[in-house]
Amino acid sequence: MRRKAQLFPGVFDLSGLNQDPQRARIRRQDHRPLLGFTGADDYYYRAAAARVVEHIKLPTFILYSLDDPFIRVLPETRAKLLANPNITYIESAHGGHCAFLADPNGYDGRWAEKTIVEFLRNH
């Protein structure tokens, strides 16, 4: 966040970053017009894959964690993902944004990477 603030002086509010990390959450920074978007609502609408998932024609693997701090999959999006036969959708209770780990049981425990490689081998 600090690096981004250096790249875009005066755009991001870092006040309270050390005292209250919740104040510096990404969504709270996205309200500022940047890179052609009018603000957070415009960005999240235009960048949302949920608007086009029913059009995916190639085999696609999507791994999502219910405790992801950045990405939300709404019920209507989940229904679209599950309805598309070209999408392999795996949803886990835990994993955050990028910590899909399990007990090492004959491998290093990085089950997300292992699952992705298996998906690619099959397709």
Side-chain angles (χ1 to χ4, degrees), residues 2-123:
R2 286 183 181 89
R3 178 70 178 128
K4 193 165 198 161
Q6 288 175 341
L7 293 171
F8 300 96
V11 174
F12 298 99
D13 177 13
L14 298 183
S15 64
L17 182 61
N18 292 328
Q19 300 89 341
D20 181 8
Q22 295 296 326
R23 287 190 59 200
R25 294 187 100 174
I26 290 176
R27 175 83 183 179
R28 293 187 181 180
Q29 301 298 327
D30 286 341
H31 70 281
R32 298 174 180 265
L34 187 64
L35 302 175
F37 298 101
T38 60
D41 290 338
D42 182 41
Y43 169 75
Y44 285 107
Y45 174 77
R46 290 171 46 197
R51 295 184 313 112
V52 297
V53 296
E54 65 270 17
H55 302 293
I56 291 176
K57 303 288 186 221
L58 297 173
T60 301
F61 181 84
I62 298 174
L63 174 60
Y64 173 68
S65 174
L66 292 170
D67 66 354
D68 189 309
F70 301 113
I71 298 171
R72 293 178 302 155
V73 174
L74 300 175
E76 49 274 12
T77 302
R78 184 177 290 106
K80 289 179 185 179
L81 293 167
L82 294 172
N84 187 328
N86 299 307
I87 297 175
T88 299
Y89 178 69
I90 297 178
E91 186 172 276
S92 69
H94 302 289
H97 192 64
C98 56
F100 297 94
L101 301 174
D103 290 330
N105 185 11
Y107 69 107
D108 64 3
R110 299 184 186 281
W111 69 266
E113 290 84 347
K114 181 179 179 218
T115 304
I116 292 166
V117 169
E118 287 173 12
F119 172 82
L120 292 172
R121 281 188 182 136
N122 292 327
H123 292 88

